[in-house]
Amino acid sequence: MEKNKQHRLKRSTEITESYFLFLDKHITDVISGDIDHFMGINQIASKLFLSHKHLTATVQNETGNHPCYFYDIKIIEEAKKMLSDTNKSVSEIARILTYDPSNFSKFFKKFVGQTPGQFRKENKK
């Protein structure tokens, strides 16, 4: 019985790590233009040969947060890099990240507490 529990814990960690690795590559592919849209959690689960329910439950049990939370955080991290390191307009960054510019500003402000423009002014390199 103990061995079975250890196997489940190990598999749970493996699934969560696979999800994070997939997200990193997927977001990079969207930013580079290799893919023109972000996948939904259902599609990602399918690519990882899991059900949506299993992926969600596993990531949530391992981390305490829904998979979408990490998806959003990783997108915000990329947006922050682009705002700090490039001269691309906020609209251009939004389009690269497959967002409508006005929705992107709302999304960004929800997570960061400032608009993309305010963030850029305070963090431009």
Side-chain angles (χ1 to χ4, degrees), residues 32-62:
S32 69
D34 292 340
I35 297 175
D36 64 356
H37 67 283
F38 284 113
M39 292 180 183
I41 297 296
N42 284 340
Q43 293 171 298
I44 293 171
S46 178
K47 293 282 185 186
L48 296 174
F49 305 101
L50 301 165
S51 72
H52 171 270
K53 212 172 194 177
H54 186 59
L55 176 64
T56 299
T58 302
V59 171
Q60 224 161 358
N61 287 339
E62 280 286 308

Side-chain angles (χ1 to χ4, degrees), residues 42-88:
N42 284 340
Q43 293 171 298
I44 293 171
S46 178
K47 293 282 185 186
L48 296 174
F49 305 101
L50 301 165
S51 72
H52 171 270
K53 212 172 194 177
H54 186 59
L55 176 64
T56 299
T58 302
V59 171
Q60 224 161 358
N61 287 339
E62 280 286 308
T63 66
N65 287 300
H66 193 279
C68 291
Y69 169 80
F70 297 104
Y71 209 162
D72 291 343
I73 292 300
K74 287 180 179 286
I75 292 169
I76 289 294
E77 287 172 5
E78 291 300 326
K80 285 178 170 182
K81 281 187 217 169
M82 285 189 258
L83 288 164
S84 298
D85 300 344
T86 73
N87 288 321
K88 290 180 169 109

